[in-house]
Amino acid sequence: MQNLTVLGTGVLGSQIILQAAYHGKDVVAYDLSDEILAKLPERWEYLRPLYLRDLPDATSERIDAAIARIRTTSDLSDALSDADLVIEAVPERLDSKRDTWAKVGAVAPEKTIFATNSSTLLPSDMADATGRPNRFLALHFANEVWRNNTGEVMGHAGTDADAFEAVAQFADEIGMVPIRVKKEQPGYVLNSLLVPLLDAAAKLYVRGVADVDTIDLTWRRATGAPLGPFQIFDVVGMQTPYNLNKDSDDPEQREFAEILKRDYIDQGRLGRGSGHGFYDYA
């Protein structure tokens, strides 16, 4: 699959776009307005030094060539006109995603495979909206996709096996390790393991059991992990855990969301991408 269309150019959408182009794919970046798309060159320049720092084969020339393979449009029909694969990275709301997929299914070529990058919703929550449920599945990326990352491929009961394998092969071709998830699971493999760790760390902090540095140090030293849970929060960014916890039935998770909003988000400490989160990076 050579021709990729990515719907949504936010933090993760833009990473997927550049990663695919870096590995030789022709990519169309779609978003709702030209004003949003006009911000992408700034995003490429933000990501450039990270590629140069983290990837031994990265050069400015290779990154320039990748950027040259990216085309932008706010016209959905134009974005989908020759797409082999569409990856949706729009905000994590079921109604928005279903509406997006209904529009995609109405105009995409017959050849196109549809993949959501949703981290919390199941493919079966959206598949029927496409009109082509057999061509629909999930391809989940974690943040900082260029760094030793995974592409979790998860279908639903009606996903065609050939479509599943084509997406797994695509993940491999753009530098991911394909993780074939055999059965629908909220959180895939990664978040099913990661979320309980982050929740436990948040509760230790809320309860005053230990501070951020101590919790992270304990996890790193005792397990050999490169990052502690609050360093992982910084990679993910504050907005995602805030959104996931603010309406929780668990009062400690709601309290953690309040801390994130008051002490971090409202102070511009949005995570590693902003240079400041639980830790300072700039």
Side-chain angles (χ1 to χ4, degrees):
M1 292 191 289
Q2 178 62 27
N3 299 322
L4 170 68
T5 297
V6 178
L7 309 178
T9 60
V11 172
L12 207 52
S14 61
Q15 289 182 23
I16 297 167
I17 291 163
L18 185 60
Q19 180 72 6
Y22 183 80
H23 286 272
K25 302 299 183 181
D26 297 310
V27 187
V28 178
Y30 167 84
D31 219 311
L32 295 176
S33 73
D34 292 334
E35 288 76 18
I36 296 172
L37 294 167
K39 299 176 182 177
L40 278 177
E42 296 177 12
R43 185 65 180 165
W44 308 148
E45 293 314 305
Y46 168 78
L47 291 170
R48 182 189 297 271
L50 303 179
Y51 271 68
L52 293 173
R53 180 194 69 192
D54 294 335
L55 300 181
D57 64 352
T59 63
S60 278
E61 291 76 16
R62 182 169 177 180
I63 295 168
D64 287 339
I67 293 169
R69 283 190 285 271
I70 299 167
R71 182 172 71 85
T72 64
T73 182
S74 57
D75 182 320
L76 185 61
S77 295
D78 176 40
L80 297 169
S81 61
D82 195 28
D84 297 314
L85 173 66
V86 178
I87 298 176
E88 164 265 306
V90 306
E92 197 76 346
R93 288 176 43 198
L94 181 57
D95 57 345
S96 295
K97 290 182 182 289
R98 286 182 60 85
D99 180 63
T100 296
W101 282 116
K103 292 174 180 175
V104 170
V107 297
E110 184 177 344
K111 68 174 182 175
T112 309
I113 296 174
F114 302 155
T116 179
N117 180 56
S118 175
S119 58
T120 61
L121 301 169
L122 295 173
S124 57
D125 294 333
M126 296 168 267
D128 65 300
T130 69
R132 313 180 205 177
N134 63 314
R135 307 284 285 174
F136 186 81
L137 67 163
L139 175 57
H140 179 247
F141 299 83
N143 201 9
E144 299 191 351
V145 303
W146 66 92
R147 297 183 63 197
N148 300 321
N149 219 319
T150 57
E152 295 182 284
V153 184
M154 183 171 76
H156 60 95
T159 300
D160 183 82
D162 290 339
F164 184 97
E165 282 304 315
V167 172
Q169 178 64 34
F170 175 85
D172 181 64
E173 290 170 0
I174 65 167
M176 302 292 101
V177 175
I179 305 299
R180 290 169 171 83
V181 183
K182 297 180 178 181
K183 183 178 180 181
E184 276 196 311
Q185 163 69 29
Y188 306 81
V189 175
L190 173 60
N191 285 338
S192 294
L193 296 168
L194 180 61
V195 170
L197 167 67
L198 298 182
D199 285 348
K203 290 184 177 184
L204 289 171
Y205 180 52
V206 166
R207 293 170 185 168
V209 173
D211 60 26
V212 165
D213 289 340
T214 300
I215 294 168
D216 279 357
L217 173 64
T218 303
W219 184 254
R220 292 195 311 268
R221 291 299 295 268
T223 68
L227 299 178
F230 289 95
Q231 291 172 296
I232 296 171
F233 276 125
D234 276 357
V235 171
V236 172
M238 300 300 174
Q239 198 64 50
T240 296
Y242 170 73
N243 290 339
L244 291 175
N245 286 295
K246 65 185 178 67
D247 298 319
S248 173
D249 293 334
D250 186 325
E252 290 180 320
Q253 289 180 280
R254 293 198 305 273
E255 184 177 352
F256 183 62
E258 292 168 7
I259 292 170
L260 291 177
K261 181 74 164 59
R262 181 188 67 235
D263 297 343
Y264 296 92
I265 295 172
D266 289 351
Q267 307 306 317
R269 301 182 68 90
L270 304 179
R272 191 152 82 179
S274 71
H276 306 279
F278 286 103
Y279 298 90
D280 292 312
Y281 302 91

